[in-house]
Amino acid sequence: MTVWIETANCNGCKRCIKTCPYGAVELREGKAYILEHCTSCGACVEVCREKAVLTDAEPRTIPDFSDRKGVWVFAEQRNGSLNRVSLELLGKAQSLAADLGQEVSAVLLGSQVSGLAKTLFGYGADNVYLAQHRALKDYRTIAYTKVFEELVKEFKPNILLMGATHVGRDLGPRVSRRVGAGLTADCTELSIDPEEGILLQTRPAFGGNVMATIANRYSRPQMATVRPGIMEAVRKKNNRGNLIKCRVSLTEKEIGTKVLEAVRETRGKVNLAEAKVIVAGGRGVGSEAGMKALFSLAKAFGGEVAGTRIIVEEGWLPVERQVGQTGQSVRPEIYIACGISGAIQHRAGIMGSRYIIAINKDPGAPIFKVADWGIVGDLHQVVPEMTRAVSQSMGK
Amino acid sequence: MNIIVLVKQVPDTTEVKLDPKTGNLMREGIDSIINPDDRHALEAAVNLKETKGGKITVLSMGPPQAVDAVSEALAMGADRGILLSDAAFAGADTWATSYTLGRAIKKIGRYDLILCGRQAIDGDTAQIGPQVADYLDLPQVSYVYHIEKVNRKSMVVKRRLEDGFERVRAAMPALLTVIGELNLPRYPHVGRLIDACREKAPIEVWNAADIGVETREVGLEGSLTHVIKTFAPKAQREGEIIEGDVKESVRILTGKLKENRLI
Ligand SMILES: Cc1cc2nc3c(=O)[nH]c(=O)nc-3n(C[C@H](O)[C@H](O)[C@H](O)COP(=O)(O)OP(=O)(O)OC[C@H]3O[C@@H](n4cnc5c(N)ncnc54)[C@H](O)[C@@H]3O)c2cc1C
Ligand SMILES: Nc1ncnc2c1ncn2[C@@H]1O[C@H](COP(=O)(O)O)[C@@H](O)[C@H]1O
């Protein structure tokens, strides 16, 4: 397929230029012009209102999906405890379902896990589909995929969300292929398009340098994995839902894998996802010894310490304390960035914070652009002073 | 043991910059590299070949210049390279990509193991491996960081979890997606690199007809998801900046925190 410009129709509005994910369209003599490195992705075709961007691709008809209903969330559990991201997704699912006038359902797989259904109702599930089987005790790709395949075929959901965890990112693509549905990875924002009623899925692309909004028009369910720590879990008090028990038949042979051993490493468990206050350090902290002051400030707040990738690469903090695109996303009440420049990949992980405070000696540092309050100064002086001030007022 | 390695050529995203005026990506002058995770997959394949014997086929889908990635893979120790290149493949999402790669793998035929990177740094989806595995009906293990044992019928590997690891036995043939922790990739061998760039190099280029797919099944037309908008991430907030004496600045800040009942 190719894309070209019908110059007679082009009014030079630049919509196609702004949309091109590859920077492959420019304005020449007032008209759009397609550059050599165009990949024919077609993003420009869709946004042009003048019918000036043409393609030889045949227009596709959107199938009738009116029988597809409900927003589903995969309730990820391990050893009988739910992954927090599933509750966050139920929070988002409640608002998506409200926009659509549809119901929220959780899909719970495992062995002896029915007790978790209550929690799922409490966080907004109208229905819980429960499949229990010995073979579902440990997460295994093919076993879980098969159950999802059967449930999707029978109950025809409209939307299916999973956490972008190591399990969700293993299962999601497998299920998408199996049920013939498109899947968008690692979304940071979800909403319903008011006109078309479809799910708009926004995610960072090109190492966080651009955001892309993706639609899934031609298949159902509309599937997305969502980063942990981005959506908000919302309690729904006294919610009573339906528990729908599903029968499954599975054999070891078809599953193909066996978990021989599952080991939790107690690498000093940190829980950034649930921390109310996070004091984060960047290269500006200067040394491992310099981190001490940050730990003191975190202690004064009763919070946790985190850092940028550089800090982790330097070995000043362990990797599970890295925040950002390749680290964790966090959403504390207060995020205090000390000696952090605010690179896009770091910012990607902190935008869910309620308040951001930046301490940096360079007034031009990009972190100030996303901060609610910023102090321009040397963190080695500011941080201890803050610790004193905070301890004092918390002490009272 | 016959191994197929899926290798993608990607722009070095650490160098990607946005045009401050238009907000577009500036791609000029950015190097293309073998996707970092895929190098670890290649290293694992060469390692296995060295101990178990067999043949390594590298498979890549991309524009004609992606042949460079295939040549580099040969220089690391692969035996045969296949580049899937056709205008019809352009604009593919993971659904269409996994279908295209899957069809090519069926054409390649016999294999014991397929290795992929966990994720590509341009798309960051980590979806291709599992989708290819499902298309081919193979067991998969993702996030592999250690290959413990490989027999004719099964293998034992370790996979990373957020808070630990799992040891998993998988029946073969299987597909693994691997992470950087697995090994230290070797450098391409210079002599082999020169050979791999010669005309006689064992590299084939296949188009849509070669793998027997219709153009409407692949590329943008065969995709189920579509980008409808891209934009530069917004810097929201932009709050109050406090400058001057340290004590005074901190006093002002704690005042704000109290005002908002944060302390
Ligand atoms: C694909 C990809 C993924 C990435 N993922 C992540 C990720 O997940 N998380 C992440 O954090 N990064 C990530 N990065 C790296 C990111 O691009 C930046 O390199 C990194 O975040 C910068 O860290 P920094 O702010 O600590 O260091 P720098 O950018 O070096 O900034 C240091 C700051 O400290 C200030 N400073 C110095 N001394 C003092 C002082 N005494 N007092 C006060 N201020 C001082 C300086 O003015 C400067 O602004 C990723 C990059 C890529 C390409
Ligand atoms: N176009 C492609 N050609 C060959 N292999 C690919 C291609 N795209 C993805 N892969 C493989 O799939 C892995 C995951 O890619 P992704 O799902 O795009 O993050 C990569 O590390 C590669 O091993």
Side-chain angles (χ1 to χ4, degrees):
Chain A
M1 138 182 175
T2 25
V3 172
W4 69 90
I5 305 291
E6 191 63 46
T7 30
N9 294 349
C10 177
N11 64 359
C13 75
K14 296 195 197 159
R15 262 195 200 92
C16 51
I17 297 178
K18 287 193 193 114
T19 299
C20 178
Y22 303 99
V25 194
E26 63 179 37
L27 212 58
R28 289 201 183 166
E29 290 162 14
K31 307 276 183 183
Y33 180 89
I34 295 185
L35 299 167
E36 208 182 326
H37 60 277
C38 163
T39 67
S40 305
C41 79
C44 52
V45 180
E46 306 218 6
V47 293
C48 181
R49 296 191 180 166
E50 310 300 323
K51 298 207 162 52
V53 190
L54 300 183
T55 162
D56 54 2
E58 282 176 33
R60 278 163 77 180
T61 44
I62 299 175
D64 175 19
F65 289 124
S66 51
D67 62 336
R68 306 300 174 117
K69 295 225 161 62
V71 182
W72 282 22
V73 170
F74 169 47
E76 181 179 334
Q77 60 82 23
R78 202 140 53 95
N79 297 325
S81 55
L82 279 170
N83 192 315
R84 189 168 167 82
V85 69
S86 307
L87 304 180
E88 294 166 6
L89 289 180
L90 283 173
K92 187 72 206 183
Q94 289 182 49
S95 72
L96 297 175
D99 287 349
L100 290 165
Q102 300 181 358
E103 293 191 328
V104 175
S105 302
V107 180
L108 177 61
L109 312 185
S111 168
Q112 301 181 342
V113 290
S114 55
L116 297 175
K118 219 178 117 204
T119 314
L120 298 170
F121 293 133
Y123 280 88
D126 300 308
N127 308 294
V128 172
Y129 293 97
L130 172 69
Q132 301 199 94
H133 193 287
R134 265 212 331 267
L136 296 172
K137 184 172 179 300
D138 298 314
Y139 166 75
R140 285 184 295 169
T141 316
I142 292 177
Y144 275 51
T145 303
K146 190 179 168 198
V147 177
F148 262 99
E149 180 189 11
E150 288 168 3
L151 291 176
V152 165
K153 279 197 178 134
E154 186 173 347
F155 298 103
K156 301 189 169 50
N158 179 14
I159 290 172
L160 170 55
L161 308 176
M162 299 190 184
T165 58
H166 289 209
V167 166
R169 295 179 102 199
D170 188 88
L171 177 63
R174 192 93 196 197
V175 171
S176 84
R177 187 79 234 174
R178 189 68 65 86
V179 303
L183 167 63
T184 307
D186 253 358
C187 298
T188 53
E189 233 178 281
L190 297 172
S191 63
I192 300 292
D193 182 279
E195 279 162 36
E196 243 184 295
I198 54 171
L199 182 67
L200 300 179
Q201 310 156 326
T202 299
R203 68 180 302 255
F206 295 102
N209 289 289
V210 275
M211 302 297 291
T213 301
I214 291 162
N216 198 332
R217 289 200 174 96
Y218 303 100
S219 62
R220 291 292 183 277
Q222 303 169 78
M223 288 184 65
T225 60
V226 178
R227 299 205 67 169
I230 294 200
M231 306 300 175
E232 213 169 331
V234 182
R235 274 190 191 277
K236 198 169 173 187
K237 275 198 193 122
N238 307 324
N239 186 39
R240 290 249 206 104
N242 310 308
L243 184 66
I244 301 153
K245 291 190 179 154
C246 311
R247 282 175 155 253
V248 290
S249 75
L250 288 161
T251 61
E252 283 302 314
K253 188 158 183 294
E254 67 184 332
I255 297 171
T257 54
K258 190 166 168 49
V259 178
L260 304 175
E261 186 186 6
V263 175
R264 271 206 182 175
E265 279 166 326
T266 44
R267 302 186 271 190
K269 206 165 169 266
V270 278
N271 203 341
L272 294 185
E274 282 167 55
K276 289 273 173 267
V277 176
I278 293 178
V279 180
R283 197 193 326 248
V285 173
S287 67
E288 192 168 0
M291 294 301 299
K292 278 214 184 98
L294 272 60
F295 276 97
S296 305
L297 180 57
K299 198 170 156 212
F301 273 112
E304 284 283 358
V305 173
T308 65
R309 185 165 88 172
I310 286 178
I311 288 289
V312 170
E313 279 169 0
E314 290 286 348
W316 301 344
L317 280 180
V319 65
E320 59 269 23
R321 289 188 190 264
Q322 181 183 322
V323 167
Q325 188 193 326
T326 42
Q328 296 200 49
S329 293
V330 294
R331 43 180 316 119
E333 288 286 303
I334 315 176
Y335 189 86
I336 308 173
C338 313
I340 292 178
S341 62
I344 184 80
Q345 295 89 356
H346 185 75
R347 276 167 18 211
I350 67 173
M351 296 314 290
S353 309
R354 178 138 173 254
Y355 292 100
I356 296 175
I357 299 173
I359 303 165
N360 196 305
K361 64 181 183 188
D362 171 13
I367 189 74
F368 286 125
K369 291 222 159 59
V370 297
D372 298 278
W373 300 295
I375 294 186
V376 179
D378 186 343
L379 71 94
H380 300 298
Q381 295 168 11
V382 177
V383 171
E385 182 61 32
M386 256 179 93
T387 310
R388 263 194 297 280
V390 172
S391 313
Q392 230 177 41
S393 35
M394 300 288 242
K396 271 182 200 156
Chain B
M1 192 158 116
N2 292 321
I3 305 174
I4 298 174
V5 187
L6 302 186
V7 170
K8 186 178 190 187
Q9 189 185 52
V10 295
D12 192 346
T13 50
T14 50
E15 293 178 33
V16 172
K17 293 261 145 47
L18 287 185
D19 183 328
K21 278 215 297 281
T22 63
N24 283 333
L25 281 183
M26 302 197 295
R27 285 210 151 192
E28 264 97 274
I30 292 169
D31 291 336
S32 287
I33 54 172
I34 290 187
N35 179 49
D37 283 345
D38 304 359
R39 277 185 182 284
H40 296 277
L42 279 165
E43 175 64 34
V46 179
N47 252 318
L48 284 169
K49 179 175 114 171
E50 282 166 356
T51 53
K52 306 259 163 194
K55 220 180 117 176
I56 301 171
T57 304
V58 253
L59 176 64
S60 185
M61 178 181 108
Q65 62 268 26
V67 76
D68 293 345
V70 178
S71 304
E72 203 178 324
L74 292 188
M76 281 176 72
D79 302 285
R80 178 188 182 198
I82 296 164
L83 175 65
L84 304 174
S85 202
D86 193 315
F89 299 153
D93 71 348
T94 64
W95 169 265
T97 303
S98 60
Y99 174 70
T100 311
L101 293 168
R103 284 295 287 253
I105 293 170
K106 283 196 170 165
K107 176 169 168 167
I108 293 168
R110 286 196 41 202
Y111 53 84
D112 304 291
L113 183 62
I114 299 176
L115 294 174
C116 306
R118 173 203 35 177
Q119 73 187 60
I121 56 171
D122 56 348
D124 267 350
T125 79
Q127 288 176 190
I128 293 299
Q131 287 182 331
V132 168
D134 198 64
Y135 181 75
L136 297 170
D137 220 355
L138 301 175
Q140 84 197 28
V141 188
S142 54
Y143 292 87
V144 170
Y145 73 98
H146 181 64
I147 299 177
E148 194 175 296
K149 210 162 50 188
V150 181
N151 297 326
R152 286 231 336 253
K153 287 225 171 94
S154 72
M155 62 195 309
V156 176
V157 299
K158 284 186 178 167
R159 86 180 280 257
R160 262 282 159 241
L161 296 176
E162 284 89 345
D163 60 353
F165 66 87
E166 274 176 353
R167 261 176 79 230
V168 179
R169 183 167 58 228
M172 308 251 279
L175 181 145
L176 308 182
T177 81
V178 309
I179 60 176
E181 213 182 321
L182 179 64
N183 54 34
L184 194 68
R186 67 194 66 196
Y187 287 103
H189 187 274
V190 179
R192 286 191 65 125
L193 192 57
I194 295 169
D195 287 342
C197 297
R198 288 221 171 95
E199 213 166 306
K200 285 196 311 246
I203 299 178
E204 296 149 65
V205 179
W206 292 355
N207 62 22
D210 291 325
I211 55 170
V213 298
E214 307 264 347
T215 54
R216 59 173 171 74
E217 299 174 305
V218 295
L220 182 71
E221 286 184 72
S223 295
L224 296 178
T225 58
H226 294 91
V227 176
I228 54 174
K229 185 173 80 181
T230 60
F231 53 97
K234 264 199 277 320
Q236 303 142 348
R237 305 174 197 249
E238 190 139 24
E240 210 169 314
I241 306 298
I242 309 161
E243 274 177 274
D245 175 63
V246 170
K247 272 211 160 82
E248 182 57 18
S249 302
V250 170
R251 204 186 56 75
I252 296 170
L253 178 70
T254 33
K256 304 274 177 201
L257 293 179
K258 278 182 196 151
E259 244 170 67
N260 288 278
R261 293 168 195 237
L262 292 165
I263 50 174

